[in-house]
């Protein structure tokens, strides 16, 4: 046989093998990923023919549902509550894909997972479309509305959870967006809404509770205090001297207290109550970077939070990367320490739950189209950063923060609140205002983290105690007194 013909046969054979391998990869290994890719419009076109399952709050309010459109026999996604729940539900758009729970539970909402009967399985194999599954959330719509109202139009986020189970009870991110235009079957309306959202410098599509990292400021002193108590470095009565300025080692810089105050002789308990930077900077230096980072990681910082929706990892640099001045600054939640509001809520929740952090979750049940429960989710232990003894000691100290310290803005007449304020300095603009807490202090039922960016309505005059603590107070009062307006 002519050698050119042999080469040609060999070339075609190789091309055929490559083609077979590529088809096998696309049809077998990558098929599911390609079909479920948010930007796969062809897949989305097919999905629009299915009555997608609803998303309901724990108190039965419809947060997302599908209704048959008048044209093209498609189903259109409707969000009756508008923007209040959008950071959780996400959007479902023909052109721009899915986000939030719409993306994370797409196969469930389409009824393609957890098939409940053999008959349904046969229907699935035959290509017959059934209505999708319903998600029941842990979110209480009444508490969500109270939380959104308490935040008003201030930028920031709030996370409320049950520290004993990890159930997310409310989650607000400001500003938010209305997902209905994105779910429109009118392409012009959909495109206009999308362009407006992505051009908005306030980033309304960003879920700040999960995907934004903030310097925690003095709210991080809870982690430093945990490390100091747990290692035996301090007791509540341990004495310090605050001169108003702590000279940072190896530098000419000083760490100053808020407003340039000097607290003089002060014990550890009052240092937390008054949020004394000098004392906590000194504690950080005595602890050292290694112990500080170890305890921060014990609370979940630098770890991936196991949650149904994407969460960015909260950060503290590795100990080898932190010099002594950086250790003192890190101990008061500045320098390069960055946390999400969810992570800050988990810190408070771990202290509230006797040193145990529960895995956070937002989906409580999955039900099929007939209402049959397919899956039910329960609380699971995630981390155990401190002992029950340290948690109890911290609880008592945090109660004093609210009773007579910087967190008086969250004080309630008939409910004992344990909390910690934070006023975090940022590179641009007024400081961020934080408040983290739990209540009732002696039998915690909710843990809350509030952050208001750049001082909110008070701007440079803001502190965590003045801006964020009153928001937490409204949330705690409504939740524990079960007082909701409709």
């Amino acid at each position: 046989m002519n050698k050119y013909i042999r080469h040609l046969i060999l070339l075609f054979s190789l091309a055929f093998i490559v083609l077979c391998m590529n088809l096998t990869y696309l049809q077998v290994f990558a098929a599911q990923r390609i079909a479920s890719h948010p930007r796969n419009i062809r897949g989305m076109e097919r999905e629009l023919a299915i009555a997608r399952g609803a998303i309901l709050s724990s108190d039965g309010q419809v947060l997302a549902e599908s209704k048959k459109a008048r044209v093209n026999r498609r189903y259109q996604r409707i969000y009756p509550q508008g923007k209040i729940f959008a950071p959780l539900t996400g959007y479902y758009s023909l052109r721009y894909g899915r986000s939030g729970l719409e993306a994370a539970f797409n196969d469930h909402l389409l009824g393609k997972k957890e098939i409940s009967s053999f008959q349904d399985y046969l229907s699935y194999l035959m290509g017959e479309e059934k209505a999708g599954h319903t998600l029941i959330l842990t979110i209480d719509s009444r508490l969500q509305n109270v939380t959104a109202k308490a935040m008003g139009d201030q930028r920031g986020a709030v996370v409320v959870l049950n520290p004993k189970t990890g159930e997310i009870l409310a989650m607000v991110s400001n500003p938010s967006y209305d997902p209905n235009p994105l779910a429109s079957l009118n392409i012009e309306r959909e495109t206009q809404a999308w362009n407006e959202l992505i051009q908005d410098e306030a980033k309304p599509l960003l879920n700040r509770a999960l995907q934004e990292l903030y310097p925690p400021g003095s709210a991080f002193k809870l982690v430093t205090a945990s490390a100091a108590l747990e290692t035996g470095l301090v007791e509540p009565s341990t004495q310090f001297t605050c001169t108003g300025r702590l000279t940072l080692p190896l530098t000419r810089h000083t760490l100053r207290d808020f407003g340039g105050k000097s607290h003089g002789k002060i014990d550890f308990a009052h240092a937390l109550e008054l949020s004394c930077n000098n004392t906590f900077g000194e504690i950080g230096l005595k602890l050292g970077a290694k112990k500080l980072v170890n305890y921060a990681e014990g609370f979940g910082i630098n770890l991936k939070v196991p949650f149904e929706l994407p969460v960015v990892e909260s950060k503290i640099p590795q100990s080898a990367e932190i010099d002594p001045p950086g250790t003192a600054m890190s101990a008061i939640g500045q320098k390069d320490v960055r946390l999400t509001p969810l992570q800050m809520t988990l810190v408070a929740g771990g202290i509230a739950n006797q040193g145990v952090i529960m895995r956070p979750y937002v989906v409580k049940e999955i039900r099929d189209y007939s209402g049959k429960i397919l899956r039910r989710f329960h609380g699971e232990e995630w981390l155990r950063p401190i002992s029950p003894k340290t948690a109890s000691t911290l609880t008592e100290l945090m109660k004093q923060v609210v009773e007579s310290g910087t967190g008086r803005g969250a004080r309630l007449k008939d409910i004992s609140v344990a909390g910690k304020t934070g006023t975090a300095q940022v590179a641009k603009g007024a400081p961020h205002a934080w408040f983290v807490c739990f209540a009732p202090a002696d039998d915690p039922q909710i843990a809350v983290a509030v952050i208001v960016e750049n001082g909110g309505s008070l701007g440079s005059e803001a502190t965590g105690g003045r801006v964020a603590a009153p928001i937490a107070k409204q949330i705690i009062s409504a939740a524990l007194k079960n007082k909701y307006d409709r």
Side-chain angles (χ1 to χ4, degrees):
M1 184 183 293
N2 184 298
K3 69 176 184 180
Y4 294 108
I5 294 177
R6 286 202 303 271
H7 288 165
L8 197 59
I9 291 173
L10 180 62
L11 182 64
F12 275 107
S13 298
L14 287 173
F16 181 73
I17 291 171
V18 170
L19 179 63
C20 289
M21 291 175 66
N22 192 44
L23 287 174
T24 302
Y25 170 76
L26 292 174
Q27 293 293 326
V28 177
F29 298 104
Q32 182 64 32
R33 176 172 55 81
I34 294 171
S36 59
H37 194 282
R39 295 300 179 92
N40 184 349
I41 292 180
R42 189 173 297 174
M44 293 288 288
E45 288 274 11
R46 286 198 297 270
E47 289 181 12
L48 288 173
I50 301 172
R52 194 174 175 82
I55 302 176
L56 306 179
S57 66
S58 63
D59 54 325
Q61 295 298 305
V62 178
L63 312 183
E65 62 183 340
S66 291
K67 292 184 177 178
K68 200 80 173 268
R70 294 179 180 177
V71 295
N72 298 329
R73 302 181 63 185
R74 290 172 170 174
Y75 285 92
Q76 182 173 349
R77 206 60 169 159
I78 305 293
Y79 301 90
Q81 310 286 337
K83 65 181 183 180
I84 290 179
F85 294 87
L88 281 163
T89 62
Y91 55 80
Y92 186 78
S93 166
L94 174 61
R95 290 176 65 84
Y96 304 106
R98 323 168 191 90
S99 70
L101 292 170
E102 296 279 25
F105 286 84
N106 184 54
D107 285 348
H108 291 91
L109 291 164
L110 290 170
K112 293 183 176 178
K113 277 194 173 180
E114 314 275 359
I115 295 173
S116 60
S117 68
F118 183 68
Q119 185 61 44
D120 285 350
Y121 179 65
L122 289 178
S123 298
Y124 174 70
L125 292 179
M126 296 291 290
E128 297 175 10
E129 301 293 358
K130 295 278 187 183
H133 302 332
T134 295
L135 304 183
I136 312 295
L137 306 189
T138 57
I139 298 288
D140 186 313
S141 72
R142 301 165 300 176
L143 187 60
Q144 181 81 357
N145 279 290
V146 166
T147 304
K149 187 177 180 181
M151 278 292 284
D153 59 1
Q154 299 178 107
R155 287 189 193 178
V158 182
V159 180
V160 185
L161 62 76
N162 181 334
K164 296 179 180 177
T165 64
E167 291 174 280
I168 301 293
L169 305 176
M171 181 181 290
V172 165
S173 175
N174 265 356
S176 184
Y177 64 97
D178 184 355
N180 285 297
L182 294 177
S184 170
L185 299 180
N186 180 317
I187 292 179
E188 287 185 8
R189 186 182 180 212
E190 191 181 11
T191 303
Q192 181 182 350
W194 177 260
N195 289 337
E196 289 175 0
L197 287 170
I198 62 172
Q199 291 169 14
D200 191 335
E201 58 86 27
K203 300 186 289 187
L205 290 172
L206 178 71
N207 185 340
R208 286 167 156 79
L210 307 178
Q211 296 167 356
E212 188 68 296
L213 292 170
Y214 297 97
S218 293
F220 189 78
K221 288 172 182 169
L222 293 176
V223 175
T224 307
S226 295
L229 288 166
E230 190 80 7
T231 57
L233 179 65
V234 300
E235 296 178 350
S237 60
T238 301
Q239 293 292 316
F240 293 86
T241 300
C242 168
T243 61
R245 292 169 181 258
L246 175 68
T247 301
L248 298 176
L250 310 176
T251 74
R252 294 180 178 177
H253 299 294
T254 58
L255 193 164
R256 302 183 64 185
D257 257 298
F258 184 75
K261 292 179 182 175
S262 169
H263 296 112
K265 293 285 185 183
I266 188 170
D267 63 27
F268 177 70
H270 285 92
L272 188 73
E273 180 182 326
L274 301 176
S275 201
C276 176
N277 285 342
N278 274 214
T279 298
F280 275 85
E282 183 179 339
I283 289 171
L285 291 171
K286 288 180 177 177
L287 272 173
K290 188 174 181 180
K291 287 180 181 175
L292 185 64
V293 172
N294 283 346
Y295 275 92
E297 291 181 341
F299 276 99
I301 297 164
N302 287 345
L303 300 181
K304 180 178 175 59
V305 177
F307 191 55
E308 296 102 320
L309 298 175
V311 184
V312 297
E313 286 184 16
S314 295
K315 300 288 184 186
I316 185 169
Q318 294 302 307
S319 57
E321 301 170 4
I322 308 178
D323 59 15
T327 304
M329 296 299 291
S330 299
I332 63 167
Q334 293 287 170
K335 192 63 176 172
D336 298 320
V337 181
R338 298 291 183 273
L339 271 63
T340 63
L342 174 63
Q343 178 63 62
M344 208 64 247
T345 319
L346 293 173
V347 170
I351 297 168
N353 196 33
Q354 290 291 290
V356 177
I357 298 178
M358 303 299 287
R359 178 185 67 82
Y361 65 104
V362 73
V363 175
K364 183 165 63 176
E365 288 178 1
I366 299 175
R367 298 180 184 176
D368 73 4
Y369 61 92
S370 68
K372 178 182 177 181
I373 297 175
L374 302 176
R375 288 192 71 183
R376 180 173 283 160
F377 300 92
H378 302 281
E380 300 172 6
E381 181 178 329
W382 179 37
L383 297 170
R384 194 178 282 260
I386 54 175
S387 66
K389 180 184 176 183
T390 296
S392 296
T393 302
L394 263 176
T395 298
E396 292 303 312
L397 301 183
M398 291 169 68
K399 284 166 64 177
Q400 290 307 309
V401 171
V402 177
E403 282 299 311
S404 52
T406 56
R408 292 191 299 276
R411 189 167 56 192
L412 284 160
K413 187 177 180 181
D414 46 359
I415 298 174
S416 176
V417 179
K420 181 70 191 81
T421 54
T423 306
Q425 302 299 318
V426 293
K428 292 183 180 178
H432 295 335
W434 280 93
F435 189 69
V436 297
C437 63
F438 54 87
D442 300 326
D443 182 23
Q445 297 173 35
I446 65 169
V448 184
V450 178
I451 178 167
V452 178
E453 294 181 11
N454 301 120
S457 58
L458 290 185
S460 59
E461 299 298 315
T463 62
R466 293 185 66 189
V467 175
I471 293 172
K473 177 181 178 178
Q474 293 180 57
I475 296 166
I476 293 167
S477 178
L480 299 186
K481 295 178 182 177
N482 199 27
K483 290 183 177 178
Y484 298 112
D485 297 326
R486 277 291 187 193

